[in-house]
Amino acid sequence: MIDVNTCRKPQLQETAYVACQGVKGAYSQIAANALFKQPDVMYMRTFDGVFRAVGSGLCRYGVLPLENSNAGSVTDVYDLMKTHKFFIVRSVKVSISHMLLQKTKTGVEKIKEIYTHEQAARQCSRFLEQNDHIKINLCANTAAAAQLVAESERTDIAAIASENCIPLYNLTASSKNIQNNNNNYTRFICISKECEIFDNADKISLMLSLENKAGALYEILKQFAECNINLVKLESRPIADTDFEFMFYFDIQANIENKDVRDLLLRIQKSVKLLAFLGNYSEIVFSPPLPAYAFATASAN
């Protein structure tokens, strides 16, 4: 278990080097701008690239999408969490509003293909079902889809992306707010190489693997309940090269400086195969759209 005394307790940074997956205008950049006043964003092609940029010290922080309130978890990120050493230092829930973007506003009926990210396609599934004549092409992220449409000579293609991509790529919105649910939020985590715990941290994330036996998970959940600790998230992902064994991810409402919490985690650690402390942090909610000038000049890698 992490020694809380070894965790840094820095002041909130107004500026920082931050790794994000995608290109300029990606939702991860919106999250970075919500967390930092002036982030110097470095774009990575993959989620793995974000973890590596932080692990190597290239960037102090990385911002990654973890789950959406309607489309569920970003499983690629959860799977990478098993293979990288990192700590969660902050998180933000960003209100997501998708738009159908084109070079020229020709109308949905004339669009033959749409480019977007898999998560965005899920979040806009009703709109896509209503326009089933359109072919769906998946991209690394929504901003990359907008960039692809902007650079194409075709006028019969569109991207599902954010409003921030309109001025960035000189696009126009054919349809607005096409997500299934207007109460549509994506949760992003901010990771660092070192453990950092800021003031008012009230959420702890844990990674845990158990013996494959009846009641193993129940015994862990019972201990949280007996200590009156609220479990706010439980995610499971299969462990590669095992016979149906799983890694469990827990989010609990607690502070690691509380002795009772530390004692509980130490007891659990002795009874399981693996217990990893992923961070103690607070979460903010971000809803208003960012103006185009909020996007800092960034590097591509």
Side-chain angles (χ1 to χ4, degrees):
M1 182 56 57
I2 188 72
D3 180 358
V4 68
N5 295 316
T6 66
C7 293
R8 293 188 297 181
K9 298 182 180 180
Q11 297 294 316
L12 291 174
Q13 298 287 308
E14 292 191 359
T15 62
Y17 287 100
V18 182
C20 293
Q21 187 268 344
V23 297
K24 198 171 186 179
Y27 283 108
S28 290
Q29 187 186 13
I30 296 175
N33 276 279
L35 290 165
F36 303 94
K37 288 186 177 180
Q38 293 179 310
D40 191 342
V41 177
M42 184 172 291
Y43 295 102
M44 302 295 153
R45 294 187 180 91
T46 64
F47 294 138
D48 185 63
V50 175
F51 279 104
R52 292 182 182 277
V54 173
S56 67
L58 180 63
C59 294
R60 179 168 177 176
Y61 299 108
V63 173
L64 294 155
L66 199 59
E67 58 187 325
N68 177 265
S69 56
N70 295 296
S73 298
V74 183
T75 55
D76 289 348
V77 174
Y78 272 105
D79 289 339
L80 287 166
M81 289 166 71
K82 297 194 294 284
T83 60
H84 291 278
K85 180 175 172 57
F86 67 96
F87 293 95
I88 302 172
V89 298
R90 306 179 196 174
S91 68
V92 56
K93 290 198 297 185
V94 178
S95 178
I96 303 295
S97 178
H98 293 299
M99 297 189 177
L100 189 68
L101 305 182
Q102 291 182 269
K103 293 180 70 173
T104 59
K105 193 172 182 178
T106 59
V108 177
E109 65 279 357
K110 294 183 180 180
I111 296 174
K112 294 182 179 179
E113 297 182 48
I114 287 178
Y115 292 82
T116 193
H117 184 263
E118 180 183 7
Q119 278 272 332
R122 290 180 186 172
Q123 294 164 31
C124 301
S125 60
R126 293 175 191 167
F127 174 85
L128 297 176
E129 288 169 1
Q130 293 167 1
N131 296 280
D132 57 6
H133 66 283
I134 303 175
K135 178 183 176 182
I136 310 302
N137 300 299
L138 299 181
C139 296
N141 58 77
T142 55
Q147 185 180 49
L148 184 152
V149 169
E151 294 175 352
S152 173
E153 296 181 357
R154 294 175 59 181
T155 59
D156 61 349
I157 63 174
I160 294 177
S162 75
E163 183 179 14
N164 294 284
C165 290
I166 294 176
L168 291 173
Y169 299 110
N170 194 28
L171 297 173
T172 184
S174 297
S175 300
K176 299 181 179 181
N177 300 319
I178 61 173
Q179 64 275 3
N180 297 346
N181 192 327
N182 287 331
N183 187 30
N184 187 35
Y185 286 86
T186 294
R187 180 184 174 214
F188 293 83
I189 55 172
C190 178
I191 64 170
S192 70
K193 183 178 181 179
E194 306 295 336
C195 178
E196 298 182 6
I197 300 178
F198 296 94
D199 292 338
N200 302 316
D202 59 0
K203 180 180 288 188
I204 294 175
S205 288
L206 306 165
M207 183 170 66
L208 183 150
S209 65
L210 302 165
E211 297 290 342
N212 189 7
K213 62 181 183 180
L217 180 59
Y218 167 77
E219 290 299 326
I220 299 299
L221 297 178
K222 183 176 72 172
Q223 292 186 65
F224 285 126
E226 289 174 345
C227 291
N228 198 31
I229 293 176
N230 188 25
L231 179 68
V232 293
K233 171 75 175 179
L234 172 58
E235 181 79 20
S236 64
R237 295 294 300 154
I239 301 174
D241 301 322
T242 64
D243 186 14
F244 292 99
E245 293 186 18
F246 292 84
M247 188 71 75
F248 294 93
Y249 300 89
F250 292 82
D251 287 347
I252 61 174
Q253 287 183 326
N255 188 294
I256 196 66
E257 293 189 356
N258 184 309
K259 185 179 182 301
D260 291 340
V261 172
R262 293 200 305 274
D263 290 346
L264 170 63
L265 297 183
L266 286 171
R267 290 197 302 272
I268 292 175
Q269 185 179 39
K270 294 176 182 178
S271 64
V272 299
K273 294 174 67 175
L274 169 72
L275 177 64
F277 171 83
L278 298 181
N280 189 190
Y281 55 96
S282 59
E283 183 169 276
I284 64 172
V285 178
F286 180 78
S287 295
L290 286 175
Y293 61 76
F295 292 97
T297 302
S299 305
N301 269 274

